[in-house]
């Protein structure tokens, strides 16, 4: 990164906990998958935040873009879980995904500032 560019504070946090995710990535099941996806996505997310900040992208536009990307990830997860022919089950899985996000993320947003990353349980 060149001098004078914005460095996302989130990158500092990610770099601090990345070894924990690397260790957990070897685990089978949910924790391993979460860790491997975080290792794939988080460095790119930090790059995107820094790029858009450098481009002076308005917060509202960045918020909308993050929602669109999150929606694409959620839609792909549902597509992997439910065959395309089963249209009825897809909305049920979307409701389950929103319920999970609400259960995990809402308390973190309401609590005093802490790590933005949900760390793997080792």
């Amino acid at each position: 990164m060149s001098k004078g560019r914005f460095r996302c504070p989130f990158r500092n946090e990610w770099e601090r906990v990345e070894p924990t995710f690397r260790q957990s990535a070897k685990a089978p099941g949910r924790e391993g998958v979460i860790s491997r996806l975080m290792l794939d996505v988080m460095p790119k997310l930090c790059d995107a935040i820094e790029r858009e900040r450098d481009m002076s992208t308005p917060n509202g536009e960045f918020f909308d873009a993050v929602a669109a990307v999150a929606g694409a990830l959620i839609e792909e997860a549902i597509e992997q879980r439910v065959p395309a022919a089963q249209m009825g089950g897809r909305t049920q899985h979307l409701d389950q995904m929103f319920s999970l996000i609400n259960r995990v993320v809402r308390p973190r947003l309401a609590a005093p500032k802490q790590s933005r990353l949900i760390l793997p349980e080792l």
Side-chain angles (χ1 to χ4, degrees), residues 9-67:
F10 190 54
R11 184 180 296 278
N12 297 335
E13 187 173 352
W14 169 249
E15 289 173 351
R16 183 179 54 78
V17 298
E18 183 180 8
T20 304
F21 284 94
R22 288 212 177 279
Q23 182 180 0
S24 183
K26 299 169 188 163
R30 180 179 306 198
E31 289 300 321
V33 173
I34 291 170
S35 293
R36 290 187 297 274
L37 286 174
M38 292 289 275
L39 288 164
D40 290 340
V41 170
M42 298 314 293
K44 297 292 185 188
L45 177 60
C46 291
D47 291 346
I49 291 169
E50 291 168 353
R51 179 194 62 230
E52 296 305 320
R53 176 72 178 262
D54 287 343
M55 294 176 60
S56 299
T57 300
N59 289 337
E61 290 177 15
F62 186 73
F63 184 90
D64 291 351
V66 169

Side-chain angles (χ1 to χ4, degrees), residues 80-111:
Q80 294 295 323
R81 192 169 190 184
V82 181
Q86 281 185 313
M87 295 301 287
R90 294 157 49 109
T91 57
Q92 177 185 354
H93 288 293
L94 179 61
D95 291 340
Q96 288 173 345
M97 183 74 76
F98 285 147
S99 177
L100 177 61
I101 291 168
N102 208 19
R103 189 179 80 230
V104 172
V105 177
R106 182 176 296 276
R108 296 174 58 76
L109 289 173

